[in-house]
Amino acid sequence: MSTTTPAVSPVVDAAHAAPFTGAEEYHAAIAEIRAAAASYYAGEDLAMDDATYDALLARVAATEVAEPGWTVAGSPTEVVAAGAVAGGDVEHSTPMLSLANVFDADELHAWAARLERVLGRPARGYTVEPKIDGMAIAARYVDGRLVQVATRGDGRAGEDVTGQAAAVAGLPGELARAVTVEVRGEVFMTDADFTRANELRTAHGGQPFANPRNAAAGTLRAQDRAYVAPLSFLAYGVHDLPGGEGLFHSAAMAAVAELGVATTAGSPTGMPLCSTVDELLAAIAALGAARGTLGFDIDGAVIKADDPADRDAAGSSSRAPRWAIAHKFPADTRTGKLLGIEVQVGRTGVITPVAVLEPVQVGGVVVTSATLHNFDDLVRRDVRVGDTVFVRRAGEVIPEITGAKLDVRPDGAEPFTPPEVCPRCGGDIDRSQKRWRCVQGRACGAVESLAYFTARDSMDIEGLGDKVIRALVAAGHVTDPADLYDLDVETLEQLDRLGRTSATKLVTAIDASRTQPLSRVLTGLGVRMTGRSMSRRLARHFASMQDLRAATVEQLQEVEAVGPERAATIHAELADLGPVIDKLIARGVTTTEPGVTPYAERVAAAAAAAASDDGAGAAAAGPRLPLQNEDGTPMTVVVTGSVPGLTRNEGNEAVEHLGGKSSGSVSKRTALVVVGDGAGTKAAKAEELGLTIMPADRFAALLTAHTNGDHPTLADFLP
Ligand code: IVH
């Protein structure tokens, strides 16, 4: 799972953006950026989504590089450009180091023994603090006033985030005393603030942050961002504390707290002092037990030598101090309310109980459903609807319920009764193994999944309706979509009421569907947590079934609107569908998305461009498509009314095929509105806003020209 990439890219990347060619366009863009920021600060709806905002700012910055004479005073790029220097331009007073990790008691014993060897005696006490999962910063106070806040950056220098840090809870603008001091600690987002921030972002048309860590990093580094996302701070270190010479860490942090700064010692778990490894292990266990109740993410405990003399004697490597260590926690466990237990039947007929939960954050992800594994397990653990249950999420895997808090069970909670028959087909259940299975196996649910596969928005196989599918499944000819491609006229002819002509037509239609693009194959396979538009996004991103199947959960999250939970589900689903996908490939079904450069090639081009830093990667991504902006980003296009020869879904598909991004609503951000017969208020609104409008027949002609390989441009087809 990606926890390091911010969900938004707040750093202006002028090197890869296309400059405006006219001063007028440049000024208009600045006006737009200012208007977007102003409307936000006025608390109005977001006038621009993050990506558009960043892209526009990048183009303004690129223009200022190309045409320095045009640069206006107070350009919105000014502050941003200062923070965009690699590694940041605020040099740290002393390097901001990282921490080495241990994962269990043995490793902790080994670390303490090594420290003892270096010191020639046991350390004079240790502190235990929560390891907060956020972003490290250094805050400088001069005469009690907060003057500069910098991110860790590369450890030697970081980005200046003073402006954004002004409103961080726990990091006061003014200290209780007029001292000059540097405080270091972690900026993070609490669970409650994370939920609120994502509500705000999505309400304003933005993408939700993947987790609180990304949210904190994205918010802290963003400039002029058009939403309020509250951040918090806990200090874990102090430098140059007046009179602090020789103070133990615990005492120094108490002094910092007295100045009015929030510290890890002041967090609910405090800062226990320990003298032996056994005491440390007990304190770490206590912190681990409290983990789910803190209201913010922690990913471990940090153990530090308390005595500064021990720290000096132990010293540091270039990366991490030898006097401190992070003890990472295993999988995150939280508690949540069990609202219901659903019984799901998988593609292969496996029957599993699935927990429906009140939304709960586990491992930084909002979880609403979790596996209960199997019925034996469920009955043995006696988990009941209404219980407060333990929800665990380890890394990228699907969350699981590990048990119920029996002491808070509500009155009247009924034990769960496992199903007597398969809930999908009503057939018998094979209970001989832990994983119960419908005796029908893959045939259970085959009708449903085949109907989905052949539907108009999927593989669009005409003549293959529910009745024929039922007959085929009943006769045992077909159990999965790939079996359709083995059907011949003779077999089909034998079905009730299907003559030779219809059978021949059907075989031709099935045969023709082999050339449907990857996006439709994916839609047809019915990957859980994806629909038509997500299937198209996946297909356009990965370009081939091979690259999609090879994608890691982290890579899947590169796709717009794919967060950790969805990515994990898609990953598991693709693995589950593996045998069917292999069968489809063997039968010659298309596994690529036409007009998209292979993912591996794009990744290689991007890496090469990043290495040479000359922007060559943009060109390597292939020729510009008609609905792509100059910088290769997709234009936002709204199709309203009917496009000749296309369904609504096909109209949206066509937009994406032409390099655009289809949207359902018209706004100032819409680049193009395609207007066909039956268009209503959207067309009127487009006119009112003065947007570019294209009649649907011209759009259809553009699509044809593109499909024919004529390399048309949008301008060629505009009225
Ligand atoms: S002490 C020289 N204490 O963890 C010691 N770090 O994985 C520097 N972190 O970069 C760090 N909570 O951002 C320390 N209680 C804590 C911490 C903490 C979180 C972060 C910090 C650091 C990272 C290392």
Side-chain angles (χ1 to χ4, degrees):
M1 176 180 61
S2 164
T3 49
T4 50
T5 319
V8 290
S9 154
V11 178
V12 170
D13 185 10
H16 293 89
F20 292 111
T21 47
E24 236 172 68
E25 277 181 281
Y26 163 77
H27 287 123
I30 289 182
E32 252 192 276
I33 289 169
R34 285 186 176 147
S39 71
Y40 159 64
Y41 287 116
E44 291 163 13
D45 269 3
L46 248 191
M48 209 182 272
D49 62 56
D50 291 334
T52 313
Y53 187 94
D54 290 337
L56 207 56
L57 204 52
R59 291 195 66 190
V60 166
T63 312
E64 289 169 357
V65 172
E67 300 283 352
W70 292 358
T71 309
V72 299
S75 159
T77 59
E78 273 174 19
V79 240
V80 181
V85 182
D89 59 358
V90 179
E91 223 172 281
H92 297 307
S93 53
T94 57
M96 288 186 78
L97 298 179
S98 186
L99 290 168
N101 295 319
V102 292
F103 293 89
D104 57 31
D106 287 350
E107 290 181 7
L108 185 67
H109 272 290
W111 171 77
R114 217 174 310 129
L115 180 61
E116 196 171 325
R117 261 201 315 278
V118 175
L119 298 177
R121 54 169 174 75
R124 290 196 193 94
Y126 302 97
T127 57
V128 179
E129 306 168 31
K131 185 170 189 303
I132 304 143
D133 199 11
M135 203 178 180
I137 55 123
R140 273 213 79 71
Y141 286 90
V142 174
D143 295 334
R145 297 195 82 88
L146 181 60
V147 293
Q148 188 167 57
V149 182
T151 64
R152 178 169 178 268
D154 62 6
R156 309 207 159 268
E159 263 177 60
D160 188 332
V161 291
T162 315
Q164 298 89 302
V168 173
L171 190 67
E174 196 162 350
L175 297 177
R177 286 191 293 119
V179 291
T180 297
V181 68
E182 181 176 317
V183 174
R184 292 184 178 182
E186 203 84 348
V187 168
F188 61 100
M189 204 176 264
T190 64
D191 294 346
D193 288 341
F194 172 65
T195 307
R196 177 85 192 110
N198 272 351
E199 274 168 12
L200 274 175
R201 262 169 89 81
T202 46
H204 290 161
Q207 288 299 314
F209 286 118
N211 54 46
R213 187 184 196 281
N214 281 1
T219 306
L220 189 63
R221 298 177 64 218
Q223 308 271 346
D224 291 345
R225 193 56 76 216
Y227 42 83
V228 185
L231 295 171
S232 302
F233 175 78
L234 287 177
Y236 53 63
V238 57
H239 289 247
D240 308 325
L241 180 72
E245 195 89 348
L247 272 190
F248 274 38
H249 175 59
S250 46
M253 294 316 292
V256 169
E258 271 176 22
L259 291 172
V261 179
T263 69
T264 50
S267 71
T269 49
M271 189 196 274
L273 300 177
C274 304
S275 29
T276 64
V277 173
D278 285 341
E279 283 175 22
L280 282 175
L281 288 168
I284 294 166
L287 192 58
R291 187 181 184 187
T293 64
L294 298 175
F296 58 86
D297 254 9
I298 64 172
D299 57 351
V302 181
I303 297 101
K304 298 174 183 169
D306 199 15
D307 183 348
D310 286 353
R311 294 183 175 204
D312 288 345
S316 302
S317 74
S318 63
R319 214 186 74 80
R322 280 185 274 274
W323 45 261
I325 196 83
H327 186 289
K328 290 300 219 62
F329 286 146
D332 189 6
T333 299
R334 302 266 171 135
T335 52
K337 178 131 189 250
L338 183 64
L339 300 179
I341 296 174
E342 277 179 2
V343 179
Q344 281 184 2
V345 189
R347 285 190 191 81
T348 54
V350 172
I351 305 172
T352 36
V354 175
V356 182
L357 297 163
E358 217 168 60
V360 53
Q361 265 185 53
V362 193
V365 171
V366 180
V367 168
T368 51
S369 80
T371 176
L372 280 156
H373 295 293
N374 55 63
F375 295 100
D376 285 352
D377 212 42
L378 170 54
V379 170
R380 184 165 45 82
R381 291 179 197 271
D382 190 21
V383 172
R384 302 182 186 185
V385 173
D387 274 350
T388 297
V389 290
F390 295 101
V391 192
R392 196 172 92 118
R393 198 173 155 269
E396 292 166 350
V397 301
I398 311 263
E400 59 177 353
I401 303 295
T402 55
K405 263 176 91 109
L406 299 179
D407 53 335
V408 291
R409 169 164 287 163
D411 291 341
E414 294 282 333
F416 178 73
T417 319
E420 296 286 326
V421 292
C422 170
R424 186 159 62 192
C425 69
D428 286 343
I429 296 175
D430 171 1
R431 296 182 175 80
S432 60
Q433 313 225 330
K434 232 188 197 171
R435 276 151 62 98
W436 291 5
R437 212 177 256 275
C438 168
V439 291
Q440 301 278 336
R442 281 185 185 277
C444 168
V447 172
E448 231 171 49
S449 59
L450 283 161
Y452 198 69
F453 186 79
T454 58
R456 174 133 201 212
D457 287 342
S458 308
M459 299 299 268
D460 192 18
I461 305 177
E462 227 183 300
L464 203 48
D466 274 9
K467 268 193 196 144
V468 180
I469 291 173
R470 270 178 213 292
L472 282 169
V473 172
H477 294 312
V478 177
T479 47
D480 68 44
D483 293 336
L484 293 172
Y485 297 95
D486 293 337
L487 292 172
D488 51 26
V489 175
E490 285 67 39
T491 310
L492 287 170
E493 240 185 345
Q494 289 161 17
L495 296 180
D496 222 16
R497 278 177 291 151
L498 204 71
R500 185 161 187 92
T501 322
S502 306
T504 311
K505 267 197 189 158
L506 199 47
V507 170
T508 311
I510 293 171
D511 197 33
S513 75
R514 278 183 236 261
T515 59
Q516 290 284 15
L518 174 63
S519 50
R520 281 174 169 262
V521 179
L522 283 176
T523 305
L525 285 171
V527 178
R528 270 199 301 138
M529 289 189 91
T530 72
R532 284 173 313 208
S533 77
M534 181 53 72
S535 297
R536 285 202 296 272
R537 256 180 243 164
L538 287 167
R540 288 200 66 78
H541 190 83
F542 291 101
S544 73
M545 185 65 98
Q546 189 192 359
D547 285 341
L548 174 63
R549 289 170 92 183
T552 60
V553 172
E554 189 171 11
Q555 285 169 329
L556 285 166
Q557 290 176 63
E558 291 167 8
V559 178
E560 195 188 327
V562 179
E565 196 176 11
R566 199 196 299 250
T569 303
I570 296 173
H571 196 259
E573 284 278 291
L574 287 170
D576 189 34
L577 283 160
V580 180
I581 296 174
D582 286 338
K583 269 174 83 176
L584 286 169
I585 295 172
R587 280 152 188 77
V589 169
T590 305
T591 56
T592 54
E593 190 68 3
V596 186
T597 311
Y599 178 69
E601 249 175 62
R602 287 205 323 273
V603 170
S612 66
D613 208 27
D614 61 359
R624 221 172 94 202
L625 294 165
L627 296 183
Q628 270 178 337
N629 293 306
E630 277 177 39
D631 61 358
T633 54
M635 289 181 192
T636 304
V637 180
V638 174
V639 181
T640 173
S642 64
V643 178
L646 304 182
T647 62
R648 182 203 287 260
N649 177 50
E650 287 165 345
N652 291 333
E653 273 181 341
V655 167
E656 285 165 28
H657 189 61
L658 293 167
K661 183 172 147 188
S662 65
S663 162
S665 60
V666 171
S667 77
K668 274 192 292 188
R669 281 168 276 156
T670 312
L672 178 73
V673 181
V674 177
V675 177
D677 282 351
T681 53
K682 286 183 197 171
K685 185 163 179 202
E687 284 204 19
E688 203 180 295
L689 291 172
L691 302 175
T692 310
I693 293 176
M694 184 180 219
D697 54 345
R698 290 194 184 227
F699 179 75
L702 168 68
L703 181 64
T704 309
H706 176 73
T707 313
N708 290 344
D710 297 343
H711 301 295
T713 68
L714 175 61
D716 297 340
F717 286 82
L718 284 175

